Amino acid sequence: MNTLVLWIFALLICMGVILAIGNTIWESRVGRNFQVFLPWSEYQSSAVFSGFLTFWSYIIILNTVVPISLYVSVEVLRLGHSYFINWDRKMYYSQTDTAAEARTTTLNEELGQVEFIFSDKTGTLTQNIMVFSKCSINGQTYGDVYDEFDQKVEITEKTACVDFSFNPLRDRKFKFYDGSLIEAIKLEDPAVQEFFRLLALCHTVMPEEKSEGHLVYQAQSPDEGALVTAARNFGFVFRARTPETITLCEMGQAVTYQLLAILDFNNVRKRMSVIVRNPQGLIKLYSKGADTIIFDRLDPSSGDLMYTTSEHLNEFAGEGLRTLALAYKDLDEDYFEVWMKKLLFASTVIENREDQLAVLYEEIEQGLKLLGATAIEDKLQEGVPETIACLGLADIKIWVLTGDKLETAMNIGYSCNMLRDDMNEVFVISGHTLLEVQQQLRSAKEHILGLSRVSNAGDVEKTDMFAEDSVFEETIIAEYALVINGHSLAHALEPQLEHTLLDLACLCKTVICCRVTPMQKAQVVELVKRHKRAVTLAIGDGANDVSMIKTAHIGVGISGQEGMQAALASDYSFAQFRYLQRLLLVHGRWSYFRMCNFLCYFFYKNFAFTLVHFWYGFFCGFSAQTVYDQWFITLFNIVYTSLPVLAMGLFDQDVNDQNSLRYPSLYKPGQQNLLFNKRQFFMCTLQGMGTSFLLFFIPYGAFSVTVKEDGSNFSDQQAFAVTIATSLVIVASVQIGLETHYWTAVNHLFVWGSLTVYFAILFAMQSNGMFGIFPSNFPFIGTARNCLSEKSVWLVILLTTVVCVVPGLAVSFLRVDLFPTLTDKVRHLQQTTKRQGPQEQNLRRVRRTSSRRSAYAFSHQQGYGELITSGKNMRTSTMSSARSPQRTPHSSNWIENMLKRKNEVSCISDESTGAAESSSRAIQTPRPQHTD
């Protein structure tokens, strides 16, 4: 639009030059004859100087062609469109009482032009609410439900849950469906007990027990919260911790472990361990982490169990579950004392402290004995597959950028239907060196294009067949997918490979970048912005997505389980990924459509209004005389035509929201910038010029041969001005009526109200009363009354209106009838058929079996082990210090003991961890808690 305004300035100067030259010629040839009674002043010494003065006079008169008020009107429209987003009840999430929020007013129309979406996975596509789903203990899997024929049964809402009512400290929201695990607990299986003991001890969760049995967990990550909650329900309840102890309620009995060390998690270790001394005085190391990491540190005696557990992990990963391997180790007292001295020394050094600690951690975490594995489900958000499918039909390319492991990212891709089993091929780029990545990218690109040669720079030597490959890309986009890990992406983003990466990615329907850092997310977005003239949108929910959100043209934040960092850094925010569909396909498309129609009409009416002065200049001796009354010039854009065009820009819609969602292809004109571009501006300019030409010459020709009812001629310029002004206001009102697709009460009020206000002001300002009060300001006394009382004047106005409107109307009818667009077809269908709601996408969730494993279920940041052991985040209460927990005698039937205690313990578990209490809560400043 800024470029077009500069063009308009150039046109204004050209018109001024033409009229100035005309004035110079007229003064030199004709004007000299009038010097007898219109003598030139001493300053006006020549016709050329007269033309120079005329140039600036016409610049002032014709300045209304420059749309100064356009920028104000555009901001008003953007503000209104932003409020429509905020007020949309269909984007309101009642569970968290979160409404959509437009945090900017400058990007609404760009929402209708998005071509690339960059999305995070965890918390954006998924709920980031972890649920303990399955586990493998000592080679036995738990979590599946079987019928009487030993056939696996699909778990639904109707499936009966395991009854945990025997446990007064249970989390009532926890659900598990396999009763065999409870039977193993009842039989006091040592492996099962050790499994849940590990889950209850090896973590950095902070507990709060406000009253007896009233437990609330604050977890560093939702994964840890889910695991500790599972142990809690199966009888190993994490009750309290101090810097030196961890208190559990094991099978109904209070047990205190001395906490000797926490070997914290980080991105390199990909595991976490704790070293504790149990009440019997034995020192044990419990470890959990990524399966590949734990398996490399197992004792050879666990070899057979490792292979069995590995098969179980493959099954879990095939279902898209996040997995962890669990192992333990018995430590010798003397060895541990020596190792602890080394640890204390390493923790006090200044240089290479982290490296020395890592070496010591690696030393003691060897020879582990495998216990089993856990499988946690991070469920997809509601409507994610349907939303992705709908956006794909709108020709929007979705790239997933996630910090998760490759296997997990691919499994979620299959769950979202971004990856499908019927795809021709899924290219996995996992090279470790620049040459390996280059070769993999070039091979994939060569395979897709089917070419025999690839240039040394990695760019395909396109043949004539692919010179115009838009149609070719359409055929291959639906067939291929690209998956690249973070290590390979670092090489692929090098200058010599970035073009190859971008070309290959654009040839694939789905792109997934896994194990990427926040900086790499921003680099991928910047790559597309730099080389593709396309509008980009980034959506995420956590602090690690902020750089990506800020880099894209449009940033969208999901106010979910990861806090408000992403939402505060974004341009738009809401609670669920599925609302992105409505934001783009409804609000974005409407905003773009409304803004384009507004601009087209605004330029049209400005040219039609202003260029009448240009044509009049040829008939007034280029004297810079205005056609209209000065008050009409002042009020035309402010009063007579401002509100109708604002109403159209605010409320107009080509099709309703249901059809906007039902036919995603309606979004494509915005991506191709078809509704307002230089060609459309040129057409608006021509139409405005044509209208101004007719507005001037039809009344001019009519007045030259028309007489009043009393036989006198229409010889006054004032009557001529009123006729043109009235014709202009009526034509502008009729034209905006024809441009409006969706009439509201506001549109009717503004259009008909503007016409009424025009005539009211016209008669008022040209009345005897106004002239009597302000004789010098209102010289057109009685003109409207005398002029508009003539039938011939109304015939001229009618003729002018019809001739100005009919050609454009005929062209519109012929275009819709002969060359209808998809919008025209849908609008016709909408007018003839009542739709009851958006058509549901019939998408089947693909369940698949894969040999790939899911990611380790840890947060991707340093843990809080050092903070816990320092004790800075805890304060010991008087009650807890007075009570020293002791181990009670072990019962042969712990469930009976728990049932006995149930009557004594008045506790209803509040809610343990879950994602709602995870990283967005006070884990960064852990709350005080009580030890039991």
Side-chain angles (χ1 to χ4, degrees):
M1 195 174 68
N2 296 333
T3 303
L4 299 181
V5 171
L6 294 177
W7 287 11
I8 294 174
F9 267 111
L11 177 63
L12 173 62
I13 294 173
C14 290
M15 290 191 295
V17 169
I18 292 172
L19 295 172
I21 293 174
N23 178 266
T24 301
I25 296 174
W26 190 89
E27 287 289 351
S28 62
R29 295 186 179 181
V30 182
R32 295 181 183 276
N33 300 331
F34 295 89
Q35 291 191 33
V36 175
F37 61 93
L38 289 175
W40 288 355
S41 65
E42 57 179 324
Y43 302 104
Q44 187 176 351
S45 57
S46 66
V48 175
F49 187 70
S50 175
F52 175 75
L53 296 178
T54 302
F55 169 79
W56 294 109
S57 298
Y58 272 111
I59 290 295
I60 296 172
I61 291 174
L62 299 175
N63 78 88
T64 52
V65 77
V66 181
I68 302 301
S69 62
L70 175 64
Y71 288 91
V72 179
S73 301
V74 165
E75 291 306 317
V76 172
L77 293 182
R78 286 171 168 172
L79 180 63
H81 297 164
S82 298
Y83 276 113
F84 291 155
I85 295 174
N86 296 342
W87 294 337
D88 192 345
R89 287 184 172 273
K90 294 183 179 179
M91 297 175 66
Y92 169 76
Y93 191 55
S94 58
Q95 294 186 16
T96 58
D97 191 26
T98 304
E101 181 180 3
R103 310 176 68 86
T104 181
T105 62
T106 59
L107 299 173
N108 295 322
E109 58 271 15
E110 291 192 30
L111 288 173
Q113 300 178 279
V114 174
E115 292 189 46
F116 290 89
I117 293 178
F118 302 91
S119 174
D120 180 39
K121 182 190 74 67
T122 303
T124 303
L125 300 179
T126 62
Q127 298 179 21
N128 200 21
I129 298 177
M130 308 303 173
V131 178
F132 184 84
S133 178
K134 298 180 181 181
C135 62
S136 171
I137 305 176
N138 198 27
Q140 176 68 38
T141 60
Y142 301 94
D144 291 321
V145 179
Y146 297 88
D147 58 16
E148 61 272 16
F149 303 105
D150 203 26
Q151 298 294 321
K152 186 183 295 186
V153 178
E154 183 178 359
I155 296 176
T156 63
E157 294 181 356
K158 297 181 180 179
T159 306
C161 300
V162 173
D163 184 12
F164 292 103
S165 59
F166 60 82
N167 185 354
L169 297 176
R170 68 187 183 279
D171 176 9
R172 291 176 176 268
K173 294 184 179 181
F174 180 83
K175 294 182 179 180
F176 199 76
Y177 301 93
D178 186 2
S180 60
L181 188 55
I182 286 293
E183 296 298 326
I185 291 286
K186 291 180 180 180
L187 296 174
E188 301 183 5
D189 187 325
V192 174
Q193 290 188 349
E194 198 73 355
F195 180 90
F196 286 111
R197 184 177 292 114
L198 187 153
L199 293 182
L201 291 171
C202 186
H203 55 78
T204 58
V205 173
M206 297 299 298
E208 261 191 289
E209 190 166 2
K210 299 178 181 179
S211 61
E212 183 71 15
H214 192 120
L215 281 172
V216 175
Y217 290 153
Q218 297 174 4
Q220 176 187 358
S221 70
D223 304 80
E224 280 201 330
L227 295 176
V228 177
T229 300
R232 167 184 177 179
N233 274 60
F234 282 101
F236 288 77
V237 183
F238 172 55
R239 293 294 298 270
R241 73 158 72 243
T242 69
E244 297 85 17
T245 63
I246 298 177
T247 301
L248 305 184
C249 181
E250 289 187 6
M251 303 183 297
Q253 308 301 323
V255 183
T256 298
Y257 292 85
Q258 183 182 355
L259 179 61
L260 303 177
I262 295 180
L263 283 56
D264 215 347
F265 168 87
N266 60 40
N267 281 321
V268 178
R269 285 170 42 76
K270 301 179 182 178
R271 64 191 182 277
M272 173 194 176
S273 301
V274 295
I275 301 176
V276 298
R277 187 190 302 274
N278 63 19
Q280 287 76 29
L282 300 178
I283 302 176
K284 288 183 175 288
L285 180 146
Y286 294 106
S287 184
K288 67 180 181 183
D291 50 286
T292 54
I293 300 297
I294 297 296
F295 287 174
D296 290 340
R297 289 158 179 77
L298 292 179
D299 186 85
S301 61
S302 298
D304 294 337
L305 180 58
M306 181 186 70
Y307 291 119
T308 304
T309 306
S310 180
E311 292 298 322
H312 297 163
L313 286 170
N314 292 338
E315 296 176 9
F316 299 156
E319 299 177 18
L321 303 178
R322 298 161 63 90
T323 61
L324 279 177
L326 309 183
Y328 77 102
K329 178 183 180 180
D330 295 318
L331 296 178
D332 180 72
E333 185 80 33
D334 296 335
Y335 169 77
F336 175 73
E337 289 183 2
V338 174
W339 181 87
M340 197 63 186
K341 292 179 181 179
K342 296 180 182 178
L343 180 67
L344 293 175
F345 174 78
S347 62
T348 58
V349 299
I350 299 176
E351 296 183 358
N352 301 323
R353 175 174 176 269
E354 297 297 331
D355 295 338
Q356 294 188 35
L357 289 176
V359 171
L360 288 174
Y361 292 169
E362 184 73 25
E363 174 188 333
I364 202 169
E365 292 175 324
Q366 298 292 333
L368 302 176
K369 295 180 181 180
L370 184 63
L371 277 174
T374 62
I376 294 178
E377 182 178 8
D378 185 7
K379 295 183 178 180
L380 283 177
Q381 290 185 16
E382 180 183 352
V384 166
E386 293 81 1
T387 299
I388 290 177
C390 191
L391 294 176
L393 293 175
D395 206 18
I396 299 175
K397 300 176 178 63
I398 302 178
W399 295 18
V400 175
L401 311 178
T402 176
D404 274 340
K405 208 173 164 186
L406 183 143
E407 290 83 358
T408 298
M410 292 186 66
N411 288 325
I412 294 297
Y414 280 103
S415 300
C416 296
N417 286 290
M418 297 180 66
L419 300 177
R420 301 191 312 275
D421 290 326
D422 60 354
M423 282 184 166
N424 283 14
E425 190 159 350
V426 177
F427 298 103
V428 179
I429 309 299
S430 57
H432 294 281
T433 65
L434 182 66
L435 291 177
E436 289 179 0
V437 174
Q438 183 182 35
Q439 182 60 39
Q440 290 177 0
L441 291 174
R442 293 172 63 184
S443 299
K445 188 174 179 182
E446 183 181 12
H447 177 81
I448 293 178
L449 296 178
L451 300 178
S452 58
R453 294 177 300 166
V454 178
S455 64
N456 293 331
D459 293 328
V460 175
E461 298 176 347
K462 293 184 179 180
T463 62
D464 293 339
M465 175 181 177
F466 304 125
E468 298 291 338
D469 60 350
S470 59
V471 177
F472 180 70
E473 282 193 14
E474 289 293 332
T475 62
I476 63 179
I477 281 177
E479 302 294 336
Y480 298 95
L482 173 66
V483 181
I484 182 170
N485 63 30
H487 189 80
S488 301
L489 185 62
H491 296 301
L493 290 174
E494 294 291 333
Q496 60 267 39
L497 287 183
E498 63 180 13
H499 287 283
T500 306
L501 171 66
L502 186 60
D503 290 342
L504 175 60
C506 291
L507 292 174
C508 296
K509 179 179 180 181
T510 298
V511 178
I512 298 177
C513 302
C514 52
R515 304 299 287 137
V516 294
T517 64
M519 182 59 67
Q520 285 179 320
K521 292 183 178 183
Q523 289 174 342
V524 172
V525 177
E526 180 61 32
L527 175 65
V528 175
K529 282 182 61 178
R530 190 168 63 247
H531 297 291
K532 292 285 184 180
R533 298 184 60 182
V535 178
T536 59
L537 181 148
I539 180 171
D541 73 314
N544 59 337
D545 303 316
V546 170
S547 58
M548 172 179 71
I549 288 173
K550 286 184 172 294
T551 303
H553 292 101
I554 303 171
V556 177
I558 292 183
S559 51
Q561 310 300 330
E562 292 289 341
M564 295 297 294
Q565 296 97 324
L568 293 175
S570 64
D571 302 305
Y572 302 90
S573 64
F574 41 71
Q576 294 280 286
F577 179 83
R578 67 178 185 271
Y579 297 147
L580 182 63
Q581 176 182 355
R582 186 169 181 85
L583 180 69
L584 297 184
L585 301 188
V586 178
H587 292 286
R589 201 183 66 82
W590 277 353
S591 295
Y592 174 73
F593 167 77
R594 290 163 176 168
M595 189 63 71
C596 291
N597 274 14
F598 166 81
L599 292 175
C600 288
Y601 177 78
F602 201 98
F603 286 123
Y604 160 78
K605 76 179 182 66
N606 267 24
F607 278 100
F609 164 61
T610 305
L611 265 61
V612 172
H613 295 299
F614 179 78
W615 308 119
Y616 185 52
F618 290 90
F619 296 89
C620 66
F622 305 97
S623 60
Q625 169 69 40
T626 60
V627 179
Y628 314 112
D629 175 17
Q630 292 298 326
W631 286 102
F632 178 82
I633 295 175
T634 303
L635 298 176
F636 178 76
N637 274 327
I638 299 176
V639 177
Y640 301 150
T641 59
S642 60
L643 294 181
V645 69
L646 284 177
M648 181 183 72
L650 283 173
F651 303 110
D652 198 21
Q653 47 182 264
D654 51 352
V655 299
N656 58 32
D657 56 342
Q658 291 91 349
N659 283 324
S660 295
L661 296 173
R662 185 179 296 119
Y663 302 101
S665 295
L666 294 172
Y667 189 82
K668 294 180 181 179
Q671 296 172 326
Q672 301 166 10
N673 202 24
L674 297 180
L675 299 188
F676 187 79
N677 47 42
K678 293 180 175 60
R679 180 180 177 277
Q680 292 294 327
F681 170 75
F682 182 70
M683 297 300 295
C684 295
T685 303
L686 285 183
Q687 186 181 6
M689 288 181 175
T691 299
S692 68
F693 185 87
L694 296 173
L695 282 172
F696 177 79
F697 282 101
I698 291 178
Y700 183 84
F703 271 49
S704 64
V705 297
T706 304
V707 295
K708 296 182 180 179
E709 293 180 0
D710 59 2
S712 60
N713 292 323
F714 284 98
S715 58
D716 58 305
Q717 185 261 348
Q718 294 182 349
F720 180 66
V722 170
T723 304
I724 293 181
T726 304
S727 301
L728 173 61
V729 173
I730 294 176
V731 168
S733 299
V734 172
Q735 193 66 41
I736 199 171
L738 295 175
E739 293 290 337
T740 302
H741 302 83
Y742 181 72
W743 283 86
T744 65
V746 177
N747 293 86
H748 284 288
L749 175 64
F750 286 171
V751 171
W752 309 123
S754 296
L755 277 174
T756 304
V757 169
Y758 164 72
F759 284 107
I761 293 177
L762 177 66
F763 283 100
M765 289 194 304
Q766 299 183 7
S767 64
N768 297 341
M770 291 297 291
F771 179 76
I773 301 173
F774 306 102
S776 60
N777 293 328
F778 299 96
F780 277 46
I781 177 174
T783 303
R785 182 175 63 251
N786 296 330
C787 176
L788 297 180
S789 63
E790 297 289 335
K791 297 178 182 177
S792 56
V793 172
W794 284 107
L795 289 174
V796 171
I797 294 173
L798 177 62
L799 176 63
T800 305
T801 303
V802 171
V803 174
C804 289
V805 171
V806 166
L809 188 61
V811 171
S812 298
F813 271 112
L814 290 175
R815 182 189 59 79
V816 172
D817 191 50
L818 299 178
F819 308 103
T821 63
L822 178 61
T823 303
D824 297 326
K825 297 176 182 177
V826 174
R827 187 185 302 122
H828 176 72
L829 192 63
Q830 178 178 300
Q831 293 171 350
T832 57
T833 306
K834 291 184 179 180
R835 296 292 185 181
Q836 298 181 353
Q839 180 179 346
E840 295 184 359
Q841 300 287 340
N842 186 17
L843 298 175
R844 177 176 57 89
R845 178 166 179 175
V846 180
R847 284 288 185 179
R848 51 191 300 279
T849 302
S850 170
S851 61
R852 294 181 287 270
R853 292 178 186 157
S854 183
Y856 54 91
F858 276 113
S859 64
H860 297 281
Q861 57 180 331
Q862 181 73 28
Y864 295 112
E866 186 174 351
L867 183 65
I868 291 174
T869 54
S870 68
K872 295 178 181 179
N873 63 323
M874 305 178 190
R875 61 181 179 86
T876 306
S877 66
T878 305
M879 180 185 299
S880 62
S881 60
R883 292 184 300 165
S884 178
Q886 301 292 331
R887 180 176 174 87
T888 59
H890 188 78
S891 171
S892 59
N893 192 338
W894 66 276
I895 295 180
E896 293 180 0
N897 291 337
M898 293 189 73
L899 289 173
K900 292 178 181 178
R901 292 193 62 200
K902 182 177 179 181
N903 297 326
E904 303 173 0
V905 179
S906 58
C907 66
I908 297 178
S909 175
D910 190 30
E911 163 57 32
S912 61
T913 54
E917 298 288 340
S918 63
S919 59
S920 64
R921 292 289 304 271
I923 189 64
Q924 297 178 357
T925 310
R927 297 186 177 188
Q929 47 78 49
H930 302 282
T931 57
D932 190 359

